[in-house]
Amino acid sequence: MADVPIQSELDRKINQLFPGVVVRKDLVKAVKGNAIVPSYVLEYLLGQYAASDDEATIHAGIDTVRKILADHYVHRNQSELVKSTIRERGRHRIIDKVTATLNDKADVYEAEFANLGIKGVLVEPATIKAHPKLLVGGVWCICDIEYLHSDDARVVPWILGSIKPIQLSNFDFEGYLAARREFTTDEWIDLLVQSIGFNPELFGRRAKLIQLVRLIPFVERNYNLVELGPKGTGKSHIFSEFSPHGMLISGGEVTVPKLFVNNANGRIGLVGYWDVVAFDEFAGKKKRADRALVDIMKNYMANKSFSRGVETLGAEASMVFVGNTSHTVPYMLKHSDLFDELPDSYHDSAYLDRLHHYIPGWEVDTIRGEMFSNGYGFVVDYIAEVLKSMRSQDYSDRYQQLFTLSPDISTRDRDGIHKTFSGLMKIIYPHGEATAEEIEEILRFAIEGRKRVKDQILRIDSTMADVKFGYLDASGGWCPVSTLEEDEYPAYYYRDRREGAETADDRGEPRPGGSAPTVKTEAQRRSEPVAEPPLFEGYREFQENQRGVSFDRLIIPYLRGAGLITIIDPYIRQFHQARNLMELIEAIARTKDAADELNIKLITSENAEGGADKLRKQLEFLLKIKQGAAVGGVNFDVAFDNTIHDRSIVTDTGWKILLGRGLDIFQYVTGDAFDLATKLQEFRQVKAFGVTYMREGG
């Protein structure tokens, strides 16, 4: 095993309050080896033997789980050896995926074992009644298989001795709520992110909420979710690995009989047995879809029901659609819409209007090795059972004493917002205790996800009425909600009325009323003076995950003409903080006259609490900045003041810029020379921050 990770205060608290149902998340990789088995199967075993923070117990548990996998997990390429073991011993325990079917000619249920490669094994009707999912999609189980040969070639020699699906049988929900009350909201969100398998320290608040929205289909009935984004962002991971109640299928494998009902034999499909049915690789313009399937799905997503002949049946399965995008967000907004990648049959306003939330997959980082957690999280089948148990509850009204949705919002929009809000409340605040600020945060997030759906539908179907998305607070004040891409790319988001669009005169088109256009030559256009717009004064706010922000746009225009620039920031200590400062100096050096010299003074605090090594490292960074700045004609000087707290930039031309986070506005950057974000700030995602521009005497 790798070095034992240092246990954090949060990990100690998790183990204290949830003994026996949490596991260290890096252990799954340690035991998996070459077993092609879902994480929830491995965590089920780890939960039995290694759910502890005692290293000796963990080591012993890992050894036990490895031995169980070695002795009982069936690898496809070793199936003949396992069959031989069963024959020689007469009985042997295996771990395999089991699917049952009804043989209506013989009137018996028969099981097929995916890896062992045997079929026709008789199953008692009582077993099917207890575990109906065996009939649809199959279930991972621990089984005892016996062998009894018969001279009758028609008799299958394999006998099912016992079968136990790999999932938790019961849990204490009241104990779960009581333990939740002992965590702060930040701690609880971090516990949930660790349970998914990620290191919360590498995620901002918004990025964590996006991960938690992926869990809503497990806790909310009939929730329709879509996520489109670049490859490698973990869109399908949760639906294939996280819960024994979810089924992930390829978008190309979907048929009416498989999903809803087989009219030939009346057998119900996946939606009748699974809590979540997720469609992987759903995007692709060239993919063909059965029109009848689209119509049935459209009806099911709206009415929670489907027809079997003359009979109408209801189901609770949530529908999730995940797919890859092949273009950037501004490209899609300029040329089509954010549903551009969907097959034509699904690129339909009536179908899309059934979606409750659109996760902006382009905001999610590509999964990297360092993003995985070695902290403690819930054993996934435990949290899966918790979420399943809450599906019948409704938390959608928990905001209504504090906020009122815009009356402009339609019933269908309202349903989408309510279901997302209810789901996040159950996941983050299952005990129902949240402050007004916390409730407002998830209400805004729920509204934004539905607004993303509706705004794109308005591009597809111009007959739909425009909607003002927002809410009224307790004092009656109007609080508008926008999507992040709306703030980032307003010129493309409002395609028909974007700023800078060509006028009729520019295109040489007739003016209203028939008067002749004034056509300017290219030379005339170039010779016209371009007036510099006045610099903005006041406060600006930037959302987490926003792109398109750089020092060139944010700060440099206010520094032009300055001879002395004073930067006050107590936290220029770590490498990324020093790198941010150097990037600002680079931008200043690029824009100033090469013949001029400019003075920059940094006032910061010493990294004394980090010890002598960290202070020495800080001084090394600052010395390198001084040497690098000199090459560009910038004199860089440093003064230490350990009493400062605020962060600002002041120029001798009268400008003062108050930076809430100082220069530390960018999220983690890999340092990969082939990643645009490494060199170009506008391709990085930012942390949430505010900036105020003030001019003395202004």
Side-chain angles (χ1 to χ4, degrees):
M1 270 187 67
D3 294 337
V4 177
I6 298 171
Q7 199 174 121
S8 67
E9 282 300 321
L10 176 59
D11 285 336
R12 276 190 278 273
K13 191 170 184 177
I14 291 169
N15 271 288
Q16 177 190 343
L17 292 167
F18 286 105
V21 294
V22 292
V23 69
R24 216 175 71 209
K25 287 292 168 170
D26 58 329
L27 300 184
V28 174
K29 286 185 180 177
V31 301
K32 188 162 190 173
N34 62 349
I36 305 171
V37 60
S39 296
Y40 67 80
V41 173
L42 299 175
E43 290 199 22
Y44 173 86
L45 296 171
L46 287 167
Q48 306 287 311
Y49 301 102
S52 169
D53 61 348
D54 176 67
E55 283 304 316
T57 303
I58 289 172
H59 279 279
I62 286 176
D63 290 341
T64 302
V65 172
R66 280 178 174 156
K67 188 172 189 319
I68 288 171
L69 287 173
D71 293 345
H72 303 292
Y73 174 74
V74 181
H75 294 269
R76 286 178 190 260
N77 59 358
Q78 296 178 347
S79 59
E80 292 303 316
L81 179 61
V82 177
K83 287 183 198 174
S84 172
T85 302
I86 298 169
R87 179 187 183 278
E88 297 307 316
R89 294 183 181 175
R91 184 184 181 99
H92 181 58
R93 180 162 290 177
I94 66 166
I95 297 173
D96 201 350
K97 189 174 185 180
V98 185
T99 307
T101 55
L102 173 64
N103 181 338
D104 49 8
K105 291 181 181 176
D107 192 28
V108 292
Y109 290 104
E110 296 175 344
E112 180 177 351
F113 292 76
N115 290 355
L116 189 57
I118 62 174
K119 57 177 68 175
V121 182
L122 296 180
V123 185
E124 291 294 326
T127 301
I128 298 297
K129 194 171 183 179
H131 311 295
K133 286 181 186 173
L134 289 168
L135 293 168
V136 191
V139 179
W140 282 90
C141 301
I142 298 174
C143 309
D144 286 318
I145 304 293
E146 300 175 6
Y147 181 86
L148 183 63
H149 183 261
S150 169
D151 292 333
D152 186 347
R154 293 172 298 177
V155 176
V156 176
W158 311 103
I159 301 167
L160 183 60
S162 69
I163 183 167
K164 182 180 186 298
I166 293 178
Q167 56 194 76
L168 198 72
S169 57
N170 58 65
F171 69 98
D172 176 13
F173 185 65
E174 290 305 318
Y176 174 81
L177 295 183
R180 164 63 185 97
R181 290 187 174 91
E182 301 300 315
F183 289 85
T184 66
T185 299
D186 286 340
E187 288 174 338
W188 185 254
I189 289 174
D190 286 355
L191 165 54
L192 292 170
V193 171
Q194 286 186 178
S195 298
I196 294 169
F198 292 126
N199 179 359
E201 291 181 7
L202 296 183
F203 290 75
R205 178 74 161 211
R206 182 177 170 88
K208 292 174 186 175
L209 287 178
I210 287 174
Q211 292 293 335
L212 297 186
V213 169
R214 289 172 170 175
L215 298 181
I216 295 178
F218 294 101
V219 77
E220 197 71 25
R221 290 172 173 168
N222 301 103
Y223 185 72
N224 306 322
L225 177 67
V226 65
E227 178 175 359
L228 302 176
K231 294 178 181 177
T233 55
K235 292 185 288 293
S236 59
H237 165 79
I238 279 178
F239 307 107
S240 63
E241 301 278 320
F242 185 77
S243 170
H245 304 300
M247 169 62 71
L248 180 72
I249 56 177
S250 169
E253 295 176 3
V254 184
T255 62
V256 173
K258 183 171 184 176
L259 193 57
F260 293 105
V261 64
N262 187 331
N263 282 328
N265 57 23
R267 189 177 301 157
I268 305 301
L270 297 171
V271 297
Y273 296 92
W274 296 90
D275 289 351
V276 180
V277 179
F279 302 84
D280 197 9
E281 300 170 2
F282 190 68
K285 283 186 174 182
K286 295 180 181 178
K287 289 185 178 178
R288 298 181 66 183
D290 179 1
R291 191 71 232 182
L293 172 64
V294 177
D295 290 339
I296 293 173
M297 194 181 294
K298 202 185 297 183
N299 181 65
Y300 173 75
M301 290 166 66
N303 304 316
K304 310 168 192 173
S305 63
F306 56 95
S307 297
R308 177 169 64 176
V310 296
E311 184 184 10
T312 299
L313 301 172
E316 296 180 3
S318 294
M319 308 287 260
V320 179
F321 308 93
V322 296
N324 296 326
T325 54
S326 52
H327 298 294
T328 63
V329 172
Y331 180 96
M332 289 188 285
L333 290 174
K334 182 177 181 180
H335 296 284
S336 56
D337 56 77
L338 298 179
F339 288 115
D340 178 54
E341 301 287 342
L342 296 188
D344 287 342
S345 300
Y346 293 101
H347 198 260
D348 169 73
S349 59
Y351 164 76
L352 298 173
D353 205 22
R354 270 78 170 164
L355 296 169
H356 297 128
H357 193 95
Y358 186 150
I359 293 177
W362 48 86
E363 288 187 39
V364 182
D365 259 352
T366 303
I367 304 300
R368 305 182 304 274
E370 69 266 25
M371 292 169 71
F372 294 109
S373 174
N374 57 13
Y376 283 81
F378 290 121
V379 175
V380 288
D381 65 308
Y382 171 79
I383 188 63
E385 292 304 319
V386 169
L387 297 180
K388 181 178 177 66
S389 74
M390 299 184 75
R391 281 171 72 85
S392 60
Q393 299 181 39
D394 182 11
Y395 283 42
S396 63
D397 61 348
R398 302 297 173 98
Y399 72 89
Q400 291 178 0
Q401 290 184 327
L402 299 165
F403 307 105
T404 306
L405 284 184
S406 164
D408 211 25
I409 295 176
S410 70
T411 301
R412 190 162 279 168
D413 294 330
R414 201 173 290 263
D415 286 346
I417 293 165
H418 281 174
K419 288 181 88 68
T420 303
F421 176 82
S422 176
L424 285 174
M425 278 295 292
K426 291 183 209 175
I427 291 166
I428 306 174
Y429 309 103
H431 53 327
E433 298 166 16
T435 65
E437 291 77 15
E438 290 169 338
I439 286 174
E440 185 173 20
E441 176 187 36
I442 62 174
L443 178 62
R444 291 187 69 88
F445 203 78
I447 295 172
E448 182 191 341
R450 175 58 192 179
K451 185 180 193 295
R452 184 171 291 108
V453 173
K454 195 58 173 278
D455 284 358
Q456 302 315 304
I457 292 173
L458 291 172
R459 287 168 166 253
I460 298 167
D461 185 353
S462 59
T463 64
M464 282 204 171
D466 203 355
V467 180
K468 287 183 181 176
F469 281 91
Y471 56 94
L472 300 169
D473 59 23
S475 64
W478 171 247
C479 305
V481 174
S482 60
T483 66
L484 186 53
E485 59 274 11
E486 183 177 1
D487 296 334
E488 286 180 302
Y489 310 110
Y492 301 127
Y493 204 87
Y494 309 109
R495 198 166 40 178
D496 297 331
R497 53 186 186 277
R498 62 179 182 267
E499 294 174 17
E502 289 184 315
T503 64
D505 276 2
D506 292 331
R507 295 188 296 269
E509 296 172 0
R511 293 172 177 163
S515 59
T518 303
V519 182
K520 298 173 184 175
T521 66
E522 190 61 31
Q524 283 174 320
R525 288 186 190 183
R526 281 201 299 268
S527 65
E528 289 179 346
V530 178
E532 282 284 334
L535 292 174
F536 172 81
E537 293 185 54
Y539 178 74
R540 274 190 175 149
E541 195 166 351
F542 295 85
Q543 294 186 52
E544 184 183 327
N545 288 358
Q546 193 165 331
R547 288 189 175 93
V549 181
S550 65
F551 291 156
D552 281 321
R553 298 178 185 177
L554 190 73
I555 299 173
I556 293 300
Y558 296 85
L559 307 185
R560 291 197 178 105
L564 172 64
I565 299 167
T566 304
I567 302 171
I568 302 169
D569 190 333
Y571 295 103
I572 306 293
R573 301 176 175 183
Q574 300 176 36
F575 170 77
H576 74 278
Q577 295 165 340
R579 181 205 63 203
N580 289 339
L581 175 57
M582 190 64 212
E583 287 181 345
L584 177 61
I585 292 172
E586 287 170 9
I588 292 169
R590 276 197 310 270
T591 53
K592 76 174 189 61
D593 190 311
D596 292 340
E597 285 198 344
L598 188 148
N599 298 302
I600 294 180
K601 182 175 183 179
L602 170 68
I603 302 175
T604 188
S605 60
E606 293 178 308
N607 194 9
E609 61 204 44
D613 284 346
K614 292 198 173 178
L615 179 59
R616 179 176 53 78
K617 202 73 180 170
Q618 180 188 19
L619 295 175
E620 283 178 11
F621 290 147
L622 294 172
L623 179 59
K624 286 180 179 178
I625 291 171
K626 183 177 180 67
Q627 293 166 342
V631 176
V634 175
N635 301 315
F636 179 72
D637 193 22
V638 182
F640 289 104
D641 182 347
N642 293 336
T643 65
I644 58 172
H645 298 285
D646 294 337
R647 305 168 192 189
S648 63
I649 298 175
V650 181
T651 72
D652 59 359
T653 56
W655 280 105
K656 183 172 187 178
I657 307 170
L658 301 178
L659 291 161
R661 300 192 69 100
L663 301 177
D664 191 9
I665 62 172
F666 299 108
Q667 294 188 32
Y668 176 84
V669 180
T670 61
D672 181 352
F674 300 98
D675 183 354
L676 276 176
T678 301
K679 288 293 181 187
L680 300 174
Q681 293 177 337
E682 54 264 38
F683 287 97
R684 299 175 193 168
Q685 291 178 311
V686 300
K687 303 171 183 177
F689 73 97
V691 55
T692 303
Y693 302 97
M694 299 186 296
R695 188 158 199 167
E696 288 184 6

